[in-house]
Amino acid sequence: MPSRTTAAVAAVEEPQSIPGLQFDEPLSWRAGKSIPVADLLKRLNALSKEMQDMEQDENERDSFTKVAKELVSPNLLGHKDKGVKALAAACLVDILRLCAPDAPYTSQQLRDIFNMIIGQILPALADPSNAYNNQHLYVLNSLAQVKSIVLLADIPSADAMIKNVFSICFDVISGSSKASPGEDMQKNVEINMTQLLVCLVDESQSLPPEVVDIVVAQFLRTDPKALGGAGGRNKKHEVVDEKQSTLVLRQLPPAYNMAKYICNACPEKMARYFSQYFNDVIVDASSSSTQKHPSKIKKRHSGGHDDSDDDHGSGPTEDDLRELRKVHGLLRELWRACPAVLQNVIPQLEAELSAENVQLRLLATETLGDIISGIGAAGLPAPPILDPVAYPSNALSNPLENTVSLNLLTKPSSPQPFPSVHPQAYSNYLGRRHDKSTVIRAAWTTGIGRILTTSAGGAGLNQQDEDRLISDLSRMMGDADEKVRIAAVKVFATFSFREIISKLGRPGGVNDTGSLLATLADRVRDRKHPVREEAMTVLARIWGVAVGEISAENEQIIALLGGIPSKILDTYYTNDIEIIGLLDRVFFEQLLPLSYPPIKAKSHKLTNGNSQGEKGSQGEADRIEENLDPDKIRTERILLMTRDLDERARKVFYAIQSRRMMLAQIMSTYLARCEDYNVNKPLLWKVRANADKSKGGVMDENEPHIKEHLTRLIKTFASLFPNSQQATSDLWRFVKMHDRRSYQLIRFCMAPESDYRTVFKAIKELTKRINDASSSASASNSLLDTLTMLIYRVSLIIYNKSHVPAIMEFSRTDDKSLAATAHEVLREVSSKTPEVLKAHVQEICRVLQDEAPSAEKSNDAGAVDNLKACASFASKYPKEIPRDRKFLQAMSSFALHGSPPEAAKYAVSVILAAPERKETLVKDLAQKCIRAFEFGEEGFLSRLATLSQLMLLAPGEIDEQSSDQILDIAIKQILLQVREPSKKPADAYEWSSTMDPEVMAKCWALKLLVNRIRSHPDAETLPDVAGPVYQLLSTLIEEQGEVSKAKDTPPAHKSRLRLLAARSYLKLCTRKSHDALLTPYAFNALPIVAQDSEKPVREGFMQRLKKYLNHQKLPQRFYTIPFLAAFEPSDALKHDVTTWIKSRAAAFASVKSTGASTRASTVMESIFARLLSVLSHHPDYANAPEDLIDFSRYIIFYLQNVATADNLSLIYHIAQRVKQCRDSVLSTPAPDGSPTEADERLYHLSDLAQITIRKYEDMHKWTIQTMPGKIRLPTSLFSEIKSHSEAQQIAEHHYLPGGVEAGVENVLKIALKAAKMAQHGKKRKSEGGDVDNREPKKSKGLPVRKAAKPKQKKTMPKTAKTPRTKKVKEQEDQGSGDRRRSGRVKDVEKIYAERDSEEDDEEMEFMNSGVLEAEQEAEAEAEVEANESAGDTNNEEDVRDDVEHDEEGAEEEEPTPKTTPRSKKKPAIPPKAKSAASPRTKPRGTRSRAAAV
């Protein structure tokens, strides 16, 4: 730049040869003799034009002296006419240009010139329509291009003028952006002004602080929140244009671009200014807080400060924080615009990361995260919409996802990769993961999510950095604080579907342990409800968007996200009412939303919100809608979800549908009672203006009964809600509303005749009516939430009749590999809600008729499901089934040639559903099956299945001769034959996942014999008919499935047969008359099946047992069998059994609250005596100390699952009573009256139980109270000791050998410690674990029980501790007046009387009568949850109960085989006596009882 020294006006020299200025008219005047404006304008215009054409080096400088002097006269500079000023300014800038580098003016004259230009000319540029706009532009252009503006910097005390230049330029450019008529003019003004300001910055030694404020303020023009100020030290410089905040700009504001250009053109100077600027703001805030809170600061430095998050007292004030937030917002935008100016600011920001004050650290953490992500002051763009309702669902191949227009201000952009430019700051930022403050960790988690989703502002992340961030995000989902976990979960909602797959899904899917998606799936079981809710909603939305790719059979998407519904439905097992309610909402609003698919929506909806529609797109969308079937689309989504569910989730899915049936019945009763309650009340909708809504209940009669019934029904529903009190209030309010239209709408939702559209519209109308009827918004929301939850649970949404045609179509075509799932769902529909098949049963029958098999042609594999659906429907609506000859012939073909054999079974059920021609059809089928029956011939298995079903459904129509022939086929030709003898040892164990024809035939033969007993009509002859079959079943159980004398049955056959025999006993005992035939001795063989060497046998038996017990179909004695799972080697199976026992115990305990018989509430306690009897006859029992210590684990297992502080006294008293009786199972009294071996076993176990209970009491710090009465035990197992002296002698004798008590105490400690550590592990997992995601230490479990081996025994102490019996007796003698009695046992004298198996059966009938309805089940679940401190209690057995198939259909289901190790066998002590009904041919072998950890 040339020198800028000023000089006085030189004397006019004589003209030289160089041409000079020709203008010679006067421009100034004396006072009172002014030049007319017109003349003055003409002269100035002429001068301006002449000088514009002149060049600096081609003219004589002295010729400008006179003009230069006249132009700075006050008359011109202060002239009132704007034109005069404009032309004078144009002439002045030409003088400066032509006279450069030495301006012909003094400093004061320059000040006057620039004051006029700054005050008059530059502001006038804001109005392009000004008559002198060209002169204004010329002045601006000259100042910028010639750089005459730099003279301003040489004027003393010119800071105010420089500040005004910046202020006016930014104001003009921001104001003219909309007023300018042309883009060229706008750009010209912007360029020249920018150049003007750059010159000032570049040539000034220093800029005034106010100028820095102004420049900084321009970057806030992108922040819609900064309308109140520009963020700086002086609030008077608030120049943000409010009109900018509401625009979706296609380009950045001109003022913003000017400031950006200035900073990038002068990075070093601006970096220094900005560093000082931000340092001053931060120091001002810190000093302000120090002055206002000196005591706090002193305390912090003295070591008295804690590490709480809330140290607000020692931090900046609210005003300071407001300024700090603005400043940090500016940093975000500055990084996007000109990162070079922040080279000195980033270290300051990094230092804030270590500040003691939480708010400062939070600001620094948020700011650095946004800077790395390239997020400016305007914030983030709108997150992508993961809409689970949209159709078609978002596809990875859809290019529209990447073409969504973004607001230029919110589009993340980072000019430089921050991790590379500032590695130390980036490293320190990542270290905030370990910050002690929850708020900081949550903000940091949000920040790394933004870094991932923006790819560091578009600069990109290397693979290592991205993997680390993903790993850190996974760790934060396991943070100890729920706020951090919620923040981590919310991060997923900021990613698009494509980014979720490409970035978050790279470590693995939801089923891959340790992956990010799997960690997210784990949060659905979080202990805190907000975390669960957020995680479940996000997961469901992700799956809802992914369903399109899943439908397209994208293997990658299926592997990554296909398991999401399973993870969500698995939360049902937590047994948490709040979680189950959330599950219902997510299920019907995200996974299977009611409004899916939105076929009637606009065209942009059809593309998941990305397409806004082009010309002609609406017509195309209409054509698409015409070709779409919403019911088929919805059904496909249901089947896709069901197909990918795992076993546990599938059970929940079907349990939800089964629960609907029960709740729908309750809802129907509730609606009926609502009408009864308001029998004479006017409709609310007609008298709403005058009606008192708080009243109601105008009843003609039976008022107490109606209110009491309504109260019970509402209590049932309220028990399903977390806030039962609020739900009760809402349901009563609904009763008093008396809106009959709402009643009808709810009935529409439940009616099988309603199609899906009817259900959906009914729900929508009901929602609107509830909102309109409520007097307040809060009341409306509460009532609506309560009713919505109930409507979801009672409506026919999944098993809707609109879905049946599509299900049938998928089952036939196998489109998208959904045939198997379609058959399964159709089977469930037919068994649970066959009513919905009414409109489609004819179609099913027609399909079956066309697929009928023959000797040469087999039927389709899916025909068995259609047959079962038809059979289920026929059982309820026999008249709806075709009875024409062609259809019956087709069913007969299935009965003779159907494959698999179950097809024949269901075909027989369909044939015999109607009474017409029943006898003829039965005889014809029986003869065809019997005639020339031969093993291995075509259809022989189907014929066996047909005969089995005929024996069950029509035994009276089969003549005696045919019956004998059938029995001969089943026994002699099938069961007693071994066609492929085994070469393996007789005691070998084996399980095969598939069954060969021989074992299948034996299973059907055995079912045939059992069905013959089940259908026997004469109770008097039943024992004679059932005796041989019972003996056969007992033999199969006792002999490990062997019935052949040669002992050569293959091991795989034996496993199947003993499982079927045990399950057959369970089925038979569901009837009282058949259960009476199972003697106690024969019953004692059944519990041993629960300890079979093969896991599939144990699992299959336990599943069927729990199913029948859940439905209260078996007597009480069968509750003893699950407790033999104490040594179950499979952790999963033992966990299932444990959960089931706790659930049933809670269910029985809840009966007491209903006012029912207390005896029904103590079932689990009363069976303890039966359990001791079963254990006394266990083949592994021995009186050796190590064996007794081993058996104490059964008792401990019982106590851990049943015992509470309330019922422990009752259990202890029952254990005492066992020692006061004799064994009645095998024993006959000895001639001398001494105890038999069976009696002594009972006494050993009684003492063992008492010691174990006492130890259990001490470790739990409970108190055993004295029982007020005498409990009588089942007479079928126990008999009273008639001699008082003998009873006294037995009671005082201690039967346990030395060392047992110490061993029991040690085993009990280990068991309780293992249970405590397991609970602690569950709690930590449900809460998310620690911050670093450390693995908890593994606890030591119980030692594995091994079979006895010949080895040297350890020396055991021979002296036993004094038994506690005497102490208890003394307590009884002292009385219980001063003792706190357990509420559970206070009425025991009235509860227990002399009882036998017959009374037990009556008690079970009482329970079957409806005492354990839905309210007891719900309360039971709640009690189980209360007993589980970790929050992960499972109720999966209740789910299994709901999802089991109907009684006949479930018979053929086989458990999934899995190989499990077998423990060695040890010899058992044979009993002395045998039962006549179930003789034993040899001593029992030992079953596997390896203890689980």
Side-chain angles (χ1 to χ4, degrees), residues 638-640 642-644 650 654 806-828 860-866 1445:
I638 295 172
L639 295 179
L640 286 172
T642 309
R643 180 194 65 186
D644 296 333
R650 195 179 298 259
Y654 292 132
I807 295 175
M808 295 173 60
E809 180 180 349
F810 279 111
S811 67
R812 291 196 303 268
T813 61
D814 197 23
D815 185 22
K816 300 181 180 179
S817 304
L818 293 175
T821 306
H823 282 300
E824 180 182 346
V825 173
L826 187 62
R827 183 170 62 244
E828 288 293 324
D860 184 73
V864 64
D865 295 312
N866 289 336
H1445 299 303

Side-chain angles (χ1 to χ4, degrees), residues 205-274:
Q205 294 297 324
S206 64
L207 289 178
E210 293 82 358
V211 172
V212 179
D213 287 352
I214 294 171
V215 175
V216 166
Q218 308 314 311
F219 292 99
L220 282 178
R221 292 184 180 275
T222 61
D223 184 5
K225 299 178 182 179
L227 301 180
R233 293 159 296 186
N234 300 324
K235 296 184 180 179
K236 61 182 179 179
H237 301 292
E238 299 172 352
V239 295
V240 176
D241 186 358
E242 295 186 9
K243 299 179 181 179
Q244 298 281 348
S245 64
T246 58
L247 296 179
V248 179
L249 300 180
R250 297 182 180 274
Q251 59 184 6
L252 292 170
Y256 178 95
N257 287 329
M258 284 176 57
K260 176 181 177 180
Y261 187 89
I262 292 170
C263 293
N264 287 324
C266 311
E268 295 182 359
K269 282 193 172 184
M270 296 306 297
R272 185 172 69 251
Y273 296 143
F274 283 173

